[in-house]
């Protein structure tokens, strides 16, 4: 209600105000994009002016051309698809396992005290260090790749969920308990919503981790995927195509991060 | 009529011994608390830190059990939390992911009130505390005083027999505190609830209470119950200058400082 009234009031305000806010928007856009534009500018002209070797760092326009060709031929989409499917599958599987498990472990102090040290150990074991083990046991197919993403995503989500449940304000629990609500209701009406923001911090960490591990895993042993594509183009000296692949990964990372933070904002909209 | 009756209530805890490492010793938080609160009465409890007021409130809310003695409400012994008692905490304890209305509805749902009545009830109690316009705000969008009003509305909305208040105004600035004190008296007159109000402030205790229970510390016991002979709280704007108020205030002050003095010499 209030927000509707607010926006109606906003529309009614004078044209001058509207221009003001347009100007403000343009300033903001300029501030956030100027350095990127500068960066691309240098990328374009440094090779062209012979400051760097154009064979190893082709001008940005060449990379964009290569990128466009790859999109048209559908080759990039093929690799992009297999990458995103792997990471999504591993990532979602990790959430499905780690969030419920974390809620349970966090709820029982004894379990928490027993398990947290070993979980910390796992979390701090770089997933990539275990890649040979995964390949050894699970082969070089999809299973090993999804598994290592699952492994990498599980720990941050699990540990954050545990600490979220542990750190729910005891006064809120006391307040709810004084209203004589059952343990089950206490759990999903108080503990769960209070934990959401901290759980989401873990989810976002997992999202970043998923891409990192995925690319590395694909570089080592795969027949498709962006990581594979980058190493393949490097071996075949298709340098503009290689940069196109790297650029795609950057964009993929940005999309995932933006998507997750939007979801996070939606679920934490009650916070300051 | 007696609403709440504390019958020689004693609570002991096992705590870590400071002298002997690793050993536990018994600590008596409150001892032989024995008094009753009349139906519709506004009673305030005042005492130094360590007078066991948190312990006493936990017992009254049914969140823990007394070691000895019992607490009765309407003649029935308390055997757990219940919605015949509502509590307001110093730190508001509002659910930050729920709006003011959502917080009030939480209590209504707990009491099993049909959903169709929620809106009307929430509106009524938000109006009572003067926050009708802020129904859809989240707690972080409200000031401290407003949050405490929501907390009061939440506790009143499920219509408890007894309203327990645990230093509800201690975290507020002086101006807001005074406003809320007067409003609480108005709400009390309007609803006729039995209110048990714990505070550190002598002025607050004397201003709000019909009787002031003065507690001593270590262990918490009732030192004296002081009758406050004031009747016209809301009519007299400057009641705190009234000689009767000053006298009562001084009596409570002396009682509290006596015990502090004794405590210092042990």
């Amino acid at each position: 209600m209030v927000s509707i009234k607010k926006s109606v009031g906003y529309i009614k305000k004078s044209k001058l105000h509207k221009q003001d806010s347009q100007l403000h928007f343009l300033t903001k856009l300029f501030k956030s994009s100027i350095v990127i534009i500068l960066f691309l500018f240098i990328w374009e002209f440094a090779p062209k002016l012979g400051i760097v070797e154009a064979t190893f760092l082709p001008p940005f326009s060449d990379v964009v051309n290569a990128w466009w060709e790859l999109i048209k031929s559908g080759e990039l989409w093929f690799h992009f698809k297999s990458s995103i499917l792997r990471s999504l599958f591993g990532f979602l599987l990790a959430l499905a396992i780690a969030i419920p498990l974390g809620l349970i472990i966090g709820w029982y102090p004894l379990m928490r005290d027993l398990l947290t040290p070993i979980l910390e150990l796992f979390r701090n074991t770089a997933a990539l260090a275990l890649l040979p083990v995964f390949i050894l046991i699970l082969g070089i197919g999809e299973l090993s790749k999804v598994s290592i993403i699952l492994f990498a995503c599980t720990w941050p989500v699990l540990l954050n969920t545990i600490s979220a449940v542990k750190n729910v304000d005891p006064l809120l629990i006391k307040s709810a308990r004084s209203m004589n609500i059952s343990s089950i209701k206490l759990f999903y009406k108080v503990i769960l919503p209070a934990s959401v923001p901290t759980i989401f911090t873990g989810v976002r960490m997992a999202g970043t981790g998923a891409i990192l591990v995925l690319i590395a895993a694909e570089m080592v042993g795969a027949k498709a995927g962006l990581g594979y594509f980058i190493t393949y183009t490097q071996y075949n000296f298709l340098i503009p195509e290689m940069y196109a692949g790297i650029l795609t990964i950057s964009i993929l990372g940005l999309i995932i991060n933006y998507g997750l933070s939007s979801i996070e904002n939606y679920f934490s909209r009650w916070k300051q | 009529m007696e609403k709440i009756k504390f019958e020689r209530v004693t609570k002991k805890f096992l705590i870590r011994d400071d002298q002997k490492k690793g050993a536990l010793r018994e600590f008596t938080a409150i001892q032989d608390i024995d008094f009753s609160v009349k139906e519709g009465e506004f009673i305030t409890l005042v005492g130094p830190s360590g007078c066991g007021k948190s312990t006493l409130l936990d017992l009254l809310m049914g969140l823990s059990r007394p070691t000895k003695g019992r607490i009765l409400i309407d003649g029935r012994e308390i055997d757990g939390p219940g919605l015949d008692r509502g509590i307001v905490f110093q730190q508001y304890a509002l659910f930050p992911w729920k709006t003011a209305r959502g917080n009030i509805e939480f209590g209504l749902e707990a009491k099993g009130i049909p959903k169709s009545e929620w809106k009307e009830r929430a509106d009524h109690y938000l109006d009572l505390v003067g926050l009708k316009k802020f129904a859809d705000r989240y707690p972080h969008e409200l000031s401290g005083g407003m949050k405490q009003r929501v907390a009061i509305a939440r506790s009143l909305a499920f219509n408890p027999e007894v309203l327990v208040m645990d230093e509800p105004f201690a975290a507020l600035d002086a101006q807001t505190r005074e406003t809320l004190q007067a409003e609480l008296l108005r709400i009390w007159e309007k609803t006729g609830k039995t209110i048990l109000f714990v505070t550190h402030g002598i002025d607050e205790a004397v201003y709000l209470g019909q009787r002031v229970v003065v507690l001593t510390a270590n262990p918490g016991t009732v030192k004296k119950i002081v009758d406050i002979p004031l009747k016209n709280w809301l009519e007299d704007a400057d009641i705190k200058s009234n000689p009767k108020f000053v006298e009562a205030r001084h009596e409570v002050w002396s009682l509290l400082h006596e015990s502090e003095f004794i405590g210092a010499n042990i």
Side-chain angles (χ1 to χ4, degrees):
Chain A
M1 254 305 261
V2 175
S3 66
I4 293 169
K5 268 188 195 157
K6 255 189 198 162
S7 57
V8 169
Y10 183 78
I11 292 162
K12 274 185 190 160
K13 289 224 174 98
S14 68
K15 256 190 180 168
L16 193 75
H17 185 88
K18 211 172 164 188
Q19 276 173 350
D20 251 21
S21 70
Q22 264 174 359
L23 194 72
H24 178 75
F25 175 75
L26 286 175
T27 324
K28 231 175 121 182
L29 191 71
F30 178 76
K31 269 192 201 161
S32 58
S33 58
I34 180 66
V35 177
I36 292 177
I37 292 167
L38 203 70
F39 168 72
L40 296 179
F41 195 79
I42 294 170
W43 185 355
E44 178 66 28
F45 288 100
K48 278 194 174 159
L49 298 172
I51 301 169
V52 293
E53 181 59 63
T55 328
F56 301 135
L57 182 65
F60 181 61
S61 52
D62 287 7
V63 174
V64 172
N65 278 335
W67 199 41
W68 183 239
E69 291 302 318
L70 286 168
I71 290 172
K72 274 204 296 196
S73 70
E75 200 181 344
L76 198 63
W77 174 243
F78 168 74
H79 294 291
F80 185 82
K81 198 174 67 184
S82 57
S83 280
I84 196 117
L85 283 179
R86 280 172 190 149
S87 51
L88 261 182
F89 198 58
F91 175 71
L92 293 178
L93 210 58
L95 297 192
I97 294 169
I99 293 176
L101 199 63
L103 290 172
I104 295 168
I105 296 172
W107 188 234
Y108 295 103
L110 180 66
M111 245 165 120
R112 198 169 66 212
D113 294 346
L114 286 174
L115 291 176
T116 306
I118 186 138
L119 297 180
E120 280 291 350
L121 181 71
F122 275 125
R123 195 245 286 261
N124 288 301
T125 305
L128 286 176
L130 287 170
L131 188 58
V133 181
F134 276 84
I135 291 175
L136 214 58
I137 298 172
L138 302 171
I140 55 162
E142 291 302 315
L143 189 60
S144 68
K145 266 157 226 85
V146 172
S147 303
I148 197 150
I149 293 164
L150 170 68
F151 180 88
C153 292
T154 300
W155 311 116
V157 178
L158 188 60
L159 282 158
N160 267 300
T161 308
I162 293 170
S163 94
V165 174
K166 189 176 95 180
N167 291 321
V168 173
D169 184 356
L171 189 62
L172 293 182
I173 298 174
K174 195 172 169 180
S175 169
R177 280 226 298 139
S178 77
M179 288 185 234
N180 201 17
I181 68 169
S182 64
S183 291
I184 298 165
K185 271 205 165 158
L186 178 71
F187 194 82
Y188 78 89
K189 291 243 156 193
V190 180
I191 309 284
L192 202 57
S195 306
V196 165
T198 316
I199 293 176
F200 249 97
T201 311
V203 171
R204 223 140 59 97
M205 284 159 72
T208 324
I211 296 295
L212 186 84
V213 172
L214 169 82
I215 301 301
E218 284 175 345
M219 281 176 157
V220 176
K223 285 171 234 75
L226 291 169
Y228 161 78
F229 179 75
I230 291 167
T231 30
Y232 169 82
T233 45
Q234 188 213 347
Y235 290 151
N236 293 286
F237 219 70
L238 300 163
I239 301 303
E241 284 78 5
M242 182 188 83
Y243 281 105
I246 295 172
L247 221 54
T248 312
I249 289 166
S250 305
I251 292 166
L252 178 67
L254 275 176
I255 291 170
I256 288 182
N257 207 7
Y258 180 78
L260 287 179
S261 53
S262 311
I263 300 172
E264 184 179 8
N265 284 340
Y266 175 77
F267 278 114
S268 314
R269 63 194 182 283
W270 47 269
K271 280 192 119 186
Q272 279 104 312
Chain B
M1 212 198 115
E2 251 168 26
K3 191 76 192 172
I4 315 170
K5 190 165 167 54
F6 294 90
E7 272 184 3
R8 299 183 64 80
V9 178
T10 301
K11 178 73 180 178
K12 292 175 181 176
F13 294 104
L14 285 176
I15 60 163
R16 213 171 290 139
D17 199 329
D18 294 331
Q19 267 91 48
K20 268 187 289 173
K21 225 181 165 185
L24 295 171
R25 72 183 173 89
E26 204 167 65
F27 168 76
T28 309
I30 52 174
Q31 189 157 18
D32 292 328
I33 297 273
D34 199 297
F35 69 95
S36 39
V37 185
K38 291 191 280 282
E39 171 109 54
E41 187 178 21
F42 198 135
I43 197 161
T44 51
L45 273 71
V46 62
S49 340
C51 68
K53 61 154 194 82
S54 309
T55 311
L56 192 67
L57 292 186
D58 278 357
L59 293 173
L60 180 58
M61 294 315 291
L63 297 172
S64 61
R65 295 295 201 96
T67 316
K68 265 190 283 178
R70 50 189 198 149
I71 305 172
L72 307 165
I73 287 188
D74 288 330
R76 274 178 294 112
E77 190 173 347
I78 288 173
D79 62 351
L83 289 153
D84 52 344
R85 287 146 284 157
I87 188 162
V88 176
F89 297 98
Q90 182 185 335
Q91 294 302 333
Y92 327 120
L94 295 176
F95 302 115
W97 56 89
K98 285 185 178 289
T99 58
R101 180 193 300 286
N103 267 283
I104 292 171
E105 288 176 346
F106 188 93
L108 298 178
E109 189 185 350
K111 185 130 185 180
I113 286 162
K115 210 167 180 171
S116 55
E117 288 176 33
W118 289 3
K119 193 182 154 25
E120 199 193 326
R121 278 228 200 185
D123 280 342
H124 174 76
Y125 284 96
L126 279 166
D127 196 26
L128 185 71
V129 297
L131 285 182
K132 208 171 183 177
K133 281 188 199 154
F134 297 89
D136 299 314
R137 296 279 183 97
Y138 286 98
H140 78 86
E141 298 170 305
L142 301 172
S143 69
M146 288 157 113
K147 279 185 222 174
Q148 198 55 286
R149 285 162 194 259
V150 175
I152 292 170
R154 177 174 69 177
S155 291
L156 286 171
F158 58 76
N159 200 20
E161 315 250 323
V162 175
L163 185 62
V164 179
M165 307 188 84
D166 184 3
E167 297 189 39
F169 306 147
L172 305 174
D173 63 272
Q175 203 109 43
T176 312
R177 190 182 309 140
E178 268 192 34
T179 317
L180 277 180
Q181 283 169 353
E183 269 191 51
L184 181 62
L185 285 174
R186 184 179 55 76
I187 289 168
W188 170 60
E189 282 201 335
K190 220 169 172 176
T191 58
K193 294 270 178 253
T194 309
I195 300 182
L196 187 139
F197 188 108
V198 174
T199 175
H200 264 115
I202 300 172
D203 274 51
E204 187 169 69
V206 175
Y207 175 65
L208 292 173
Q210 293 176 298
R211 288 191 297 156
V212 177
V213 180
V214 182
L215 299 166
T216 56
N218 303 319
T221 50
V222 175
K223 178 151 188 136
K224 199 182 171 191
I225 300 178
V226 181
D227 274 306
I228 309 295
L230 301 166
K231 287 282 166 284
N232 48 344
W233 289 270
L234 291 171
E235 285 85 61
D236 191 346
D238 191 20
I239 197 163
K240 287 176 186 170
S241 320
N242 186 314
K244 281 184 186 166
F245 182 93
V246 176
E247 200 183 304
R249 192 198 166 282
H250 181 72
E251 188 182 355
V252 175
W253 185 88
S254 313
L255 286 164
L256 278 171
H257 283 252
E258 227 173 277
S259 56
E260 239 173 53
F261 182 70
I262 295 165
N265 276 288
I266 288 174

